[in-house]
């Protein structure tokens, strides 16, 4: 049997390969790993909570769903605060960023942005959800309070990014800007093992993932691209297959492994689409690029968009390089 490498071992090994590494990131990953295990346990209990709900407790499905978002938010926050390497956190679940004021966290170098539970409407129907995270070095003086500008950095400045997918198995996928690696959780011993080394997003894909129920509201270029996906063309293996889970993490993860395009375009009345730039699109974009894929808002590279506010939204097209280029071409044709 081949030797298995754990996530902890892998992070430390990578740290030793870099002369400038201080070990800080290893400790941040330790916090993320711990919180992920707690969320894993909670998600796997969600079904049991539903059974309890049927026996009389009011509104458990709705509450459970909301509780998990908040539970995950609290666990990630607590785990990160406890290690003293992160001075603040911004989350989908918090209107403002949170400053960690414990003496341990003062003067620490990093900030974290997080979507604690992505795809949360899928929890009560037993479908995969995820957690998305993004790590930056703070830019404000280390002896002062953490500032909004620490969080409003373009995605190109990310030091690390990743996601955890709670699917048929739980996996953690991350990058520190030197390729993408995936680790599968063995719940019987509570350890993540390296299972997907140096992940590569296929250059071409045959899967498109979009909420087609919004079709009538999409911009003309996007509508034409969807029709293009559905046309018969044996040379490019069209028509493509449509797959949409409604969890960005799960849809992206599938396309990362198989090749494909996930998109959430602008739609009527929502010129910036639905997804959030800082804690959904940027981390997924960094992983996509590090795996050889692309991420765009339809016209420009996601990672170069200057953020203006914490909960900023953006149209999002991510996945196989040639598919992102194709959809950009359809959009550009309409712009002309
Ligand atoms: P969240 O659960 O964090 O709010 O994110 C849900 C997002 C994303 O994961 C998913 O792809 C998209 O919303 C689904 O939206 P629609 O239901 O509009 O397709
Ligand atoms: Mn989300
Ligand atoms: Mn969420």
């Amino acid at each position: 049997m081949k030797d298995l490498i754990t996530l902890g071992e892998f992070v430390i090994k990578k740290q030793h390969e870099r002369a400038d590494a201080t070990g800080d990131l290893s400790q941040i990953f330790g916090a993320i790993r711990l919180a992920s295990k707690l969320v894993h346990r909670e998600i796997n209990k969600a079904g049991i909570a539903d059974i309890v709900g049927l026996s009389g407790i009011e509104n458990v499905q709705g509450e459970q769903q909301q509780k998990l978002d908040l539970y995950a938010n609290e666990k990630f926050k607590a785990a990160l605060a406890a290690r003293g390497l992160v001075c603040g956190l911004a989350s989908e679940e918090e209107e403002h960023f949170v400053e960690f004021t414990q003496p341990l966290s003062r003067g620490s170098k990093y900030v974290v942005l997080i979507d604690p539970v992505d795809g949360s409407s899928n929890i009560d129907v037993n479908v995969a959800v995820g957690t998305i995270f993004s790590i930056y070095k703070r830019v404000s003086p280390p002896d002062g309070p953490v500032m909004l500008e620490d969080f409003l950095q373009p995605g190109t400045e990310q030091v690390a990014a990743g996601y955890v997918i709670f699917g048929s198995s739980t996996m953690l996928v991350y990058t520190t800007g030197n390729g993408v690696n995936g680790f599968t959780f063995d719940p019987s011993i509570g350890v993540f093992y390296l299972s997907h080394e140096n992940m590569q997003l296929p250059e071409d894909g045959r899967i498109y993932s979009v909420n087609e129920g919004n079709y009538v509201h999409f911009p003309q270029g996007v509508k034409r691209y969807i029709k293009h996906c559905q046309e018969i063309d044996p040379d490019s293996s069209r028509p493509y297959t449509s797959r949409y889970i409604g969890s960005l993490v799960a849809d992206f993860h599938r396309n990362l492994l198989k090749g494909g395009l996930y998109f959430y375009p602008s739609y009527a009345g929502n010129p910036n689409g639905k997804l959030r730039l800082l804690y959904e699109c940027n981390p997924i974009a960094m992983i996509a690029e590090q795996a050889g894929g692309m991420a765009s808002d339809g016209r420009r590279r996601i990672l170069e968009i200057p953020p203006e506010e914490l909960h900023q939204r953006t149209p999002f097209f991510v996945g196989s390089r040639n598919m992102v280029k194709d959809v950009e071409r359809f959009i550009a044709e309409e712009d002309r």
Side-chain angles (χ1 to χ4, degrees):
M1 196 176 133
K2 86 172 189 202
D3 282 345
L4 297 175
I5 301 176
T6 69
L7 172 59
E9 289 163 358
F10 185 86
V11 171
I12 288 171
K13 185 172 144 232
K14 288 285 158 194
Q15 176 194 322
H16 286 310
E17 285 170 12
R18 287 184 40 199
D20 60 335
T22 55
D24 291 358
L25 271 185
S26 309
Q27 290 202 48
I28 296 177
F29 275 109
I32 290 172
R33 200 169 63 209
L34 171 63
S36 301
K37 289 183 199 175
L38 296 170
V39 174
H40 165 93
R41 190 183 61 186
E42 212 56 27
I43 286 175
N44 282 275
K45 284 196 304 204
I48 296 173
D50 279 351
I51 295 169
V52 175
L54 289 177
S55 70
I57 296 174
E58 212 176 86
N59 203 14
V60 159
Q61 289 202 21
E63 283 215 311
Q64 174 66 25
Q65 186 182 343
Q66 196 213 354
K67 265 198 245 154
L68 193 75
D69 284 322
L70 299 181
Y71 177 89
N73 192 47
E74 291 309 318
K75 292 302 168 199
F76 277 97
K77 206 160 55 175
L80 289 163
R83 312 235 167 174
L85 291 153
V86 173
C87 55
L89 168 136
S91 161
E92 185 192 358
E93 301 302 328
E94 319 248 0
E95 190 180 347
H96 306 289
F97 67 83
V98 181
E99 178 172 17
F100 295 162
T101 50
Q102 301 90 325
L104 203 59
S105 306
R106 220 165 270 154
S108 48
K109 281 194 289 199
Y110 297 94
V111 297
V112 172
L113 293 102
I114 189 163
D115 178 355
V117 179
D118 173 66
S120 46
S121 68
N122 277 326
I123 295 163
D124 53 359
V125 290
N126 219 340
V127 173
V129 295
T131 297
I132 312 175
F133 60 89
S134 168
I135 304 172
Y136 291 85
K137 264 201 177 128
R138 71 184 293 183
V139 287
S140 61
D143 48 354
V146 65
M147 313 279 279
L148 185 58
E149 69 200 49
D150 295 319
F151 299 92
L152 299 187
Q153 301 186 53
T156 46
E157 298 304 310
Q158 290 174 106
V159 176
Y163 61 80
V164 185
I165 173 168
F166 305 96
S168 45
S169 58
T170 291
M171 268 190 79
L172 189 149
V173 174
Y174 84 93
T175 179
T176 54
N178 191 16
V180 179
N181 293 286
F183 300 80
T184 304
F185 186 56
D186 178 346
S188 65
I189 47 171
V191 172
F192 283 94
Y193 284 114
L194 178 62
S195 52
H196 297 63
E197 198 169 3
N198 192 21
M199 299 172 86
Q200 295 292 325
L201 219 165
E203 213 173 331
D204 294 290
R206 294 200 304 274
I207 299 173
Y208 71 103
S209 313
V210 62
N211 185 344
E212 248 174 296
N214 290 331
Y215 181 86
V216 287
H217 302 301
F218 289 154
Q220 200 51 32
V222 174
K223 282 184 179 168
R224 284 183 39 241
Y225 176 73
I226 292 174
K227 286 296 160 216
H228 164 85
C229 293
Q230 298 169 344
E231 273 164 20
I232 296 176
D233 177 37
D235 288 348
S236 56
S237 306
R238 282 180 291 142
Y240 295 153
T241 291
S242 164
R243 288 281 183 276
Y244 189 70
I245 295 169
S247 278
L248 166 63
V249 167
D251 280 305
F252 173 76
H253 184 72
R254 180 201 50 245
N255 294 351
L256 170 60
L257 295 176
K258 298 193 165 186
L261 177 74
Y262 172 96
F263 50 115
Y264 210 110
S266 59
Y267 57 104
N270 299 281
N272 296 321
K274 175 182 185 187
L275 299 180
R276 275 59 56 105
L277 173 65
L278 291 177
Y279 42 81
E280 292 182 313
C281 303
N282 271 340
I284 297 289
M286 182 178 183
I287 290 175
E289 287 196 5
Q290 284 294 319
M294 263 179 90
S296 162
D297 74 349
R299 298 179 176 88
R300 54 189 172 155
R301 188 180 172 210
I302 286 289
L303 295 180
E304 288 176 6
I305 298 175
E308 280 158 16
E309 49 173 345
L310 274 187
H311 301 285
Q312 182 170 335
R313 295 174 194 265
T314 176
F316 194 42
F317 301 82
V318 65
S320 293
R321 169 168 286 276
N322 289 333
M323 293 182 86
V324 176
K325 282 188 180 157
D326 277 348
V327 72
E328 279 186 335
R329 189 161 43 79
F330 278 88
I331 291 169
E333 279 165 14
E334 292 301 321
D335 285 350
R336 259 184 236 133

